[in-house]
């Protein structure tokens, strides 16, 4: 089989779909998305679904504040209900040094147009009556943060992209890529040869391996993250919550389940097996801060794969060595970041102009020794 598409996107997770939608919206109507697995089989169907705009660095905050704003209008943009609920996002300090760090972030968040406040314990207790006020010291409250169930967001992007003419296939792995000099000419997926002008790698944890098919270095490695759901109960937690001192995050879904996880050190590897370490760390963090959760049963526990980079930041932009190759990979907060990544990368691909909010995450930043230092993410050091 032989076909032609102006742009081929490898990977149909939320990144690939957001890029496809935004390209189609800019008038590129023959976008092709190829995914090796089933719809929502990657990290985009396995995540905690928490969304926030404010972090500790200007680079992350500039990018994610834009994404949070796009989330707020995403249902209208797509014409599909993505069920985003801006219920508020609390980043809670349990140690004095963490509280001091959070204190410094409020002005940064406000500079980027976010409603961000530093809350004393009394105010946290008013917002979250079930919290143990003796276990916390203060918090940053991001009023516009929240959560959106991944099935709704993924289905929304899929349906809207298809309506605009994008062709999206699952169970269709890219198996080889042909080049002529520094340009990709053909993407091969099983028995299909697809001639194309541009290629985007959006393969999540598998992006470095896809880079090898292309003969292009994608820095970083695959790593496992685990999460769990507690049995559904009447509302206990109102906000989306991060506990940086416990490397833990959580929220309560519309169905009443408490969903989240605590990070534990992991080795670079590909596995969807789960183990007791992450489960125990999550249970301990939950019970410490919300004692009522200690009595609930664990309903499910699962793992997903991330593509970790040396600074945990995404790789977003044109590849430095292959002229017509673009990358959206290395995502640790790639669910929250998907609307902005799709918007800014599609514009860069179509116009050649790189927005200042994506420029710091350039694919070659490690070669230039310019990592982005971000101190307000909830991720464990690599084992
Ligand atoms: C447990 C867990 C909790 C998380 N919590 C949050 C959170 O609360 N908030 C947040 O913002 N982020 C969170 N994340 C991270 C977030 O899920 C990811 O950053 C995001 O989903 C990445 O999207 P993606 O499209 O890049 O990757 P994926 O969704 O993994 O998609 C990549 C796709 O590439 C496909 N692929 C691989 N190889 C090939 C090939 N050869 N050919 C074609 N296709 C291929 C795969 O099948 C896959 O579908 C969490 C992740 C996990 C695992």
């Amino acid at each position: 089989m032989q076909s032609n598409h102006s742009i081929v996107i490898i990977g149909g997770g939320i990144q690939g779909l957001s890029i496809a939608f935004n390209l189609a919206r800019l008038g590129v109507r023959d976008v092709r998305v190829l995914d090796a697995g089933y719809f929502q089989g990657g990290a985009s169907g396995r995540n905690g679904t928490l969304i926030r705009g404010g972090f500790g660095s200007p680079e992350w905050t500039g990018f994610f504040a834009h994404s949070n704003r796009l989330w707020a209008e995403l249902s209208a943009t797509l014409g599909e209900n993505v069920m985003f609920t801006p219920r508020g996002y609390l980043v809670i300090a349990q140690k004095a040094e963490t509280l001091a760090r959070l204190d410094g972030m409020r002005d940064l968040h406000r500079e980027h147009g976010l409603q961000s406040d530093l809350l004393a314990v009394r105010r946290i207790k008013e917002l979250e009556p079930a919290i143990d006020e003796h276990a916390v010291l203060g918090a940053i409250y991001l009023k516009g943060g929240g959560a959106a169930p991944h099935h709704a967001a993924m289905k929304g992007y899929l349906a809207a992209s298809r309506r605009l003419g994008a062709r999206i296939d699952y169970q269709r792995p890219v198996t080889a890529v042909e080049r002529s000099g520094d340009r990709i000419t053909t993407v091969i997926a099983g028995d299909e040869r697809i001639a194309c002008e541009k290629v985007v790698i959006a393969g999540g944890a598998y992006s470095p391996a896809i880079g090898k098919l292309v003969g292009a270095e994608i820095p970083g490695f695959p790593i496992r993250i685990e999460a769990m759901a507690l049995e559904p109960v009447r509302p206990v937690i109102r906000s989306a919550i991060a506990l940086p001192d416990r490397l833990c995050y959580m929220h309560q879904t519309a169905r009443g389940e408490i969903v989240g996880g605590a990070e534990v050190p992991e080795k670079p590897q590909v596995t969807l097996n789960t183990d007791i370490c992450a489960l125990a760390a999550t249970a301990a963090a939950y019970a410490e801060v919300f004692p009522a959760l200690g009595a609930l049963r664990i309903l499910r526990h699962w793992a997903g794969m991330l593509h970790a980079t040396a600074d945990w930041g995404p790789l977003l932009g044109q590849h430095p060595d292959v002229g017509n190759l673009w990358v959206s990979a290395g995502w640790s907060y790639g669910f929250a970041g998907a609307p902005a990544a799709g918007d800014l990368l599609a514009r860069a691909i179509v116009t050649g102009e790189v927005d200042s909010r994506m420029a710091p995450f350039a694919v070659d930043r490690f070669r230039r020794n310019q990592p982005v230092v971000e101190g307000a993410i909830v991720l464990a050091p690599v084992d």
Side-chain angles (χ1 to χ4, degrees), residues 9-19 33-52 55 64 71 89 146-147 150 154 169-176 187-189 201-207 209-210 213 223-228 249-251 259-261 263 272 302-307 328-338 379:
I9 299 172
I10 306 175
I14 196 161
Q15 289 293 325
L17 293 181
S18 175
I19 296 160
V33 180
L34 299 159
D35 193 286
Y38 57 90
F39 179 51
Q40 304 193 71
S44 302
R46 298 168 179 270
N47 58 67
T49 74
L50 276 70
I51 292 158
R52 62 167 150 144
F55 286 85
F64 283 90
W71 268 107
Y89 196 123
H150 39 66
M154 289 287 284
D169 294 310
Y170 289 89
Q171 310 278 354
R172 198 135 188 87
V174 169
T175 45
V187 171
I188 299 170
I201 294 181
Y206 307 92
S207 298
I210 297 168
L213 290 179
I223 200 153
R224 172 179 65 171
I225 302 275
E226 294 171 71
M228 73 182 195
Y249 59 91
M250 67 178 91
H251 75 104
V259 169
E263 309 304 337
L272 290 177
W302 65 91
M305 295 300 308
L306 295 186
H307 170 196
S328 176
W331 287 101
S332 53
Y333 282 68
F335 187 74
L379 287 159

Side-chain angles (χ1 to χ4, degrees), residues 3-85:
S3 62
N4 277 286
H5 285 271
S6 55
I7 303 182
V8 173
I9 299 172
I10 306 175
I14 196 161
Q15 289 293 325
L17 293 181
S18 175
I19 296 160
F21 169 74
N22 281 282
L23 283 169
R25 208 154 72 121
L26 290 171
V28 188
R29 295 299 161 109
D30 65 337
V31 175
R32 181 76 186 271
V33 180
L34 299 159
D35 193 286
Y38 57 90
F39 179 51
Q40 304 193 71
S44 302
R46 298 168 179 270
N47 58 67
T49 74
L50 276 70
I51 292 158
R52 62 167 150 144
F55 286 85
S57 65
E59 293 90 347
W60 277 64
T61 300
F63 184 89
F64 283 90
H66 178 49
S67 215
N68 202 155
R69 282 189 283 275
L70 295 179
W71 268 107
E73 57 202 40
L74 194 57
S75 294
T77 307
L78 297 177
E80 300 279 334
N81 185 1
V82 301
M83 297 170 68
F84 172 62
T85 52

